[in-house]
Amino acid sequence: MSETSTTLIQILEGALLAAGRPLTVAQLGELFEEHERPPNADLREALGVVAERCTDRGFELVEVASGFRYQVRQSLSPWVGRLWHERPQKYSRAMLETLALIAYRQPITRGEIEEIRGVAVSSNIIKTLHEREWVRIVGHRDVPGRPAMYATTRQFLDYFNLKNLDQLPALAEIRDLETLNAELGFNEPLPAAAAQHAEVENLSGPDETSPDHGMTH
Amino acid sequence: MSETSTTLIQILEGALLAAGRPLTVAQLGELFEEHERPPNADLREALGVVAERCTDRGFELVEVASGFRYQVRQSLSPWVGRLWHERPQKYSRAMLETLALIAYRQPITRGEIEEIRGVAVSSNIIKTLHEREWVRIVGHRDVPGRPAMYATTRQFLDYFNLKNLDQLPALAEIRDLETLNAELGFNEPLPAAAAQHAEVENLSGPDETSPDHGMTH
Amino acid sequence: MPFAVVLGKAMTELPRDLYIPPQALEVFLEAFEGPLDLLLYLIRRQNLDILEIDVSAITEQYMRYVELMDAMQFELAAEYLLMAAVLAEIKSRMLLPRAVDTDDDEEDPRAQLIRRLQEYERFKKAAEDIEELPRVERDTWVGSAEPPDLNRVRTDAEVDMRELLLALGEVLRRADMFESHHIQREALSTRERMSEVLEKLSGRQFVPFVALFSASEGRLGVVVTFLAVMELIKEALVEIVQTENFGPIHVKARSE
């Protein structure tokens, strides 16, 4: 490795630790004066070396939604966790289910969340999600009352160690109602309308999608 | 090196990086359950290895008065320093309120400010005000805890182009902001940022945008 | 871990049979996130696939829960009652002979219910998955180190006097709501002088009273200083000491 790139690697290491938050390749590039700024490819290559240099260390370099950051290896959490006296916060099922719906179905209104969960969503849950900056309002649905539509934020992804929404665990498949009709406790065939819904179901959510525009996820 | 001590070294690395503050040997020992706690000699030896493993890195392990901490190498400051070259952040409303109360009610303690504001005053705010040399400690109130009393400085007056505090608008006028605007000859509308400060509830530290009011800096 | 203690007996799992000790009902219901969750539980307890549920049997069970709740004079959550109505409708439909050609627009409520259950279960599972994701502050922590000393070109934020006043106006308005605080108008020069006097006194035992005054400030300056000292005495921040009649007066910060 050339001398310059050794310096480059050290600069990246130092900056990532000094920042204490994720930094994007662009932000790392801005550490350099314009005339000495390495091309992004070099930065990425250097980041690769930074990551390699963590082999066998108590920390690793990971890429999350807001960029690259050093973080403590998960296997060490039993010990490192003792640095803090409070136990990590537990989130209620109601809150996690609401968050899951926002994450997988965004943009989604509170009413739509309630429809799927079958119960009211408490304002406290929405408030907490806002305060944690895990969700934000991205617009209002053009229906009476113009309810707010929620989506997740980069901070949500960062917090759960994700680079993007695609990295969320896959939603469980739903079996096709039509073909399983025989197994149902029902004796008669389903009416056509129900069968149609069942098809749509496989493609999109319970949202207002009509069978005509079957949108794919 | 035995396997156990590799784990030990990784635990120390992880903890030091996660803590973001110096940790003493005793504090590091407390990361372990009593029955598995390594003797201090082992901890010190492991810290030695942790330090060695920083050779050629952008950071190093140093011992300061309150313990061991990772520190970014001084030689990297020209680059790392640019992390903080970003545009200055707007001060939070919490900070402005604190400053205003110190100006108008000096000498005043932190507890008294908190009582009037109804919320805690973060240490960061006090620190920032000190760093800007806008406030100073002029004594300590003779009550339990002997809290410091704050007052404004000459620099504060200079910054706001005041000869003395009497030139600050009288409190009674402040209650009626519209009149005040007129009296002070502020005919233009308030800067957007200032108006927004009034909306963003209780953010301490540098102003952050809450997702609801997408404000641009 | 027991999720309820009933009559001194710890309950570690949900009851296997339908009978729930009445005292446990409330806790039992809290264990569910709503009617869909309860229905899923009833189905799972029978080790059934959602698609194989015997609507009739599940309805019976659900209704008995609801009746039990009602007997307990619980304020039944609207959601539970609504589900009871849905189930009742399904059951009644199944008892009726079915017209061959029903209007296609109307969806079979059974299929609709099953779909809702499936949909809910997906997200129940998704919530569990999210809970399992490695997360900051529980499974990992973001690393940081002390930055080097920086010759930071300090770019401090600009503050407009109006922002300061706006902030103060806001505090005052809030303080007005709590009537215990009254900030009345006072001469700020006195307050400013109070700070100066305190600073002069800090770190020293006794300061001669006269040393606080400066002739060069003229009469007004003397008056302001005097008022400031009076205010400091009133606020118990300084004390005045005179050891003998007509002797020199000394001022001392209370806490020094």
Side-chain angles (χ1 to χ4, degrees):
Chain A
M1 179 144 316
S2 75
E3 208 193 332
T4 15
S5 57
T6 310
T7 313
L8 172 56
I9 289 158
Q10 288 190 5
I11 291 171
L12 298 187
E13 287 177 333
L16 287 164
L17 277 186
R21 62 185 159 90
L23 295 176
T24 60
V25 171
Q27 283 169 326
L28 289 166
E30 276 164 25
L31 300 175
F32 301 86
E33 298 269 21
E34 219 168 323
H35 65 272
E36 56 167 23
R37 186 167 302 158
N40 281 357
D42 290 15
L43 285 169
R44 289 204 164 265
E45 200 192 313
L47 279 168
V49 182
V50 172
E52 266 169 40
R53 305 226 279 180
C54 294
T55 317
D56 211 31
R57 291 303 170 91
F59 45 83
E60 59 194 331
L61 186 77
V62 295
E63 186 176 4
V64 291
S66 322
F68 292 85
R69 73 181 179 202
Y70 274 111
Q71 69 183 39
V72 175
R73 277 189 201 283
Q74 256 171 267
S75 56
L76 302 176
S77 68
W79 294 276
V80 176
R82 292 207 187 94
L83 276 175
W84 291 272
H85 294 298
E86 325 95 78
R87 305 187 37 76
Q89 198 177 348
K90 279 285 280 175
Y91 297 106
S92 69
R93 264 182 62 196
M95 157 128 168
L96 288 165
E97 286 180 10
T98 306
L99 181 62
L101 277 160
I102 297 175
Y104 285 90
R105 278 290 150 80
Q106 56 191 294
I108 188 172
T109 67
R110 186 156 158 181
E112 289 157 1
I113 296 170
E114 292 176 340
E115 214 174 285
I116 298 177
R117 290 195 58 232
V119 283
V121 172
S122 90
S123 295
N124 256 335
I125 288 180
I126 299 286
K127 200 172 138 236
T128 308
L129 290 173
H130 266 298
E131 278 171 358
R132 299 240 50 174
E133 299 194 331
W134 286 351
V135 308
R136 68 204 153 111
I137 293 173
V138 289
H140 294 265
R141 208 177 274 295
D142 198 14
V143 295
R146 300 189 30 82
M149 289 188 294
Y150 296 96
T152 51
T153 60
R154 276 215 315 254
Q155 285 90 330
F156 160 77
L157 294 171
D158 290 350
Y159 194 83
F160 288 98
N161 250 319
L162 303 167
K163 223 164 27 184
N164 50 48
L165 284 174
D166 285 347
Q167 290 193 334
L168 278 172
L171 260 190
E173 289 289 320
I174 284 191
R175 286 203 276 162
D176 186 350
L177 265 191
E178 180 81 356
T179 59
L180 288 162
N181 190 25
E183 291 178 33
L184 296 177
F186 311 144
N187 301 317
E188 331 120 48
L190 288 165
Q196 231 167 18
H197 269 279
E199 261 167 52
V200 174
E201 189 47 44
N202 270 348
L203 295 172
S204 69
D207 2 61
E208 307 68 30
T209 337
S210 81
D212 294 332
H213 34 82
M215 79 185 185
T216 44
H217 272 279
Chain B
M1 179 147 313
S2 74
E3 207 195 332
T4 15
S5 57
T6 309
T7 313
L8 173 56
I9 289 159
Q10 289 191 3
I11 292 171
L12 298 188
E13 286 177 333
L16 287 162
L17 213 70
R21 61 185 159 92
L23 295 175
T24 61
V25 173
Q27 283 168 327
L28 289 166
E30 277 164 22
L31 300 177
F32 301 85
E33 299 268 22
E34 219 168 324
H35 65 272
E36 56 164 26
R37 185 168 301 155
N40 281 356
D42 290 14
L43 285 170
R44 288 203 165 268
E45 199 193 312
L47 280 168
V49 181
V50 172
E52 268 170 40
R53 305 227 276 181
C54 294
T55 317
D56 209 30
R57 291 306 168 89
F59 48 89
E60 58 196 331
L61 187 76
V62 296
E63 187 174 3
V64 293
S66 41
F68 292 85
R69 74 173 176 210
Y70 276 118
Q71 201 165 289
V72 175
R73 281 187 199 284
Q74 187 60 43
S75 58
L76 300 176
S77 73
W79 295 275
V80 174
R82 292 206 184 91
L83 276 176
W84 285 273
H85 269 206
E86 296 158 29
R87 279 156 293 134
Q89 285 165 305
K90 294 294 284 177
Y91 288 132
S92 66
R93 201 184 77 189
M95 146 107 180
L96 294 170
E97 287 183 5
T98 305
L99 178 60
L101 282 169
I102 294 175
Y104 279 86
R105 293 292 295 168
Q106 59 188 282
I108 188 170
T109 66
R110 185 157 156 181
E112 288 158 356
I113 297 170
E114 289 175 345
E115 210 177 308
I116 299 175
R117 289 194 54 231
V119 285
V121 171
S122 86
S123 297
N124 257 335
I125 288 179
I126 300 286
K127 202 174 136 229
T128 308
L129 289 172
H130 266 298
E131 278 173 0
R132 285 213 73 162
E133 302 193 324
W134 281 350
V135 308
R136 67 206 153 120
I137 292 173
V138 289
H140 295 265
R141 207 177 272 292
D142 195 16
V143 294
R146 297 183 22 82
M149 287 185 294
Y150 297 95
T152 50
T153 59
R154 173 129 301 275
Q155 286 87 337
F156 166 81
L157 294 175
D158 290 347
Y159 184 88
F160 289 101
N161 266 318
L162 305 167
K163 275 218 227 10
N164 52 51
L165 281 180
D166 271 349
Q167 292 192 329
L168 278 173
L171 280 176
E173 294 164 24
I174 290 171
R175 286 169 191 260
D176 183 4
L177 284 172
E178 295 200 2
T179 330
L180 183 82
N181 258 341
E183 273 179 35
L184 291 174
F186 295 144
N187 295 321
E188 344 96 67
L190 279 169
Q196 240 144 5
H197 272 295
E199 272 169 44
V200 181
E201 200 29 64
N202 283 330
L203 294 175
S204 55
D207 214 2
E208 290 163 79
T209 29
S210 88
D212 284 349
H213 357 231
M215 123 180 148
T216 42
H217 278 283
Chain C
M1 216 178 46
F3 73 95
V5 176
V6 178
L7 299 173
K9 207 177 132 213
M11 301 188 62
T12 49
E13 55 187 68
L14 293 172
R16 292 246 165 261
D17 56 1
L18 188 55
Y19 178 71
I20 309 166
Q23 295 87 345
L25 190 57
E26 195 169 0
V27 186
F28 179 79
L29 280 177
E30 274 170 15
F32 293 103
E33 286 297 326
L36 291 171
D37 202 19
L38 174 57
L39 274 180
L40 273 180
Y41 165 71
L42 294 175
I43 294 164
R44 293 287 172 246
R45 202 178 53 177
Q46 298 182 344
N47 278 324
L48 288 180
D49 191 292
I50 295 178
L51 298 173
E52 292 161 16
I53 55 168
D54 177 346
V55 173
S56 183
I58 293 294
T59 304
E60 294 282 341
Q61 292 190 9
Y62 186 90
M63 291 305 192
R64 278 158 72 187
Y65 276 113
V66 168
E67 278 161 22
L68 192 53
M69 290 188 243
D70 200 28
M72 290 289 299
Q73 293 185 315
F74 267 102
E75 278 194 39
L76 279 183
E79 295 102 354
Y80 283 91
L81 285 178
L82 185 66
M83 180 57 71
V86 169
L87 289 168
E89 195 210 339
I90 293 175
K91 226 182 127 183
S92 66
R93 279 212 193 190
M94 293 176 77
L95 294 175
L96 292 172
R98 197 169 182 83
V100 184
D101 212 11
T102 41
D103 37 41
D104 279 0
D105 299 342
E106 202 183 330
E107 197 194 344
D108 184 330
R110 292 165 304 170
Q112 199 183 24
L113 176 63
I114 288 175
R115 213 182 52 246
R116 286 187 66 191
L117 281 168
Q118 287 179 316
E119 191 65 5
Y120 173 67
E121 194 177 34
R122 290 173 91 192
F123 288 101
K124 186 180 164 178
K125 175 71 171 45
E128 288 163 13
D129 289 345
I130 286 182
E131 168 72 15
E132 291 300 310
L133 286 174
R135 78 164 80 128
V136 172
E137 288 163 1
R138 185 187 69 182
D139 307 299
T140 187
W141 290 266
V142 179
S144 67
E146 185 73 11
D149 286 335
L150 306 167
N151 293 330
R152 271 191 224 177
V153 186
R154 270 270 290 279
T155 39
D156 288 322
E158 292 298 313
V159 178
D160 189 305
M161 175 58 86
R162 280 171 292 176
E163 290 178 61
L164 199 60
L165 297 176
L166 213 67
L168 186 65
E170 194 56 38
V171 188
L172 294 181
R173 236 191 310 283
R174 278 212 314 268
D176 275 348
M177 286 189 277
F178 312 97
E179 291 206 4
S180 51
H181 306 287
H182 286 291
I183 303 184
Q184 65 276 47
R185 179 174 188 161
E186 30 190 344
L188 279 166
S189 50
T190 313
R191 295 239 138 234
E192 189 172 32
R193 190 55 56 95
M194 284 163 69
S195 299
E196 286 167 15
V197 170
L198 276 175
E199 202 168 33
K200 259 188 204 166
L201 297 179
S202 69
R204 294 163 71 180
Q205 270 297 328
F206 292 96
V207 173
F209 185 59
V210 292
L212 298 175
F213 299 88
S214 156
S216 64
E217 286 182 334
R219 183 187 288 262
L220 192 60
V222 171
V223 170
V224 169
T225 305
F226 186 76
L227 286 174
V229 175
M230 292 299 112
E231 188 62 32
L232 286 169
I233 293 170
K234 198 175 112 200
E235 290 190 19
L237 291 170
V238 304
E239 55 191 323
I240 295 278
V241 184
Q242 189 180 30
T243 43
E244 53 190 280
N245 281 351
F246 307 110
I249 298 169
H250 283 87
V251 188
K252 168 181 185 288
R254 281 223 158 206
S255 57
E256 294 299 330

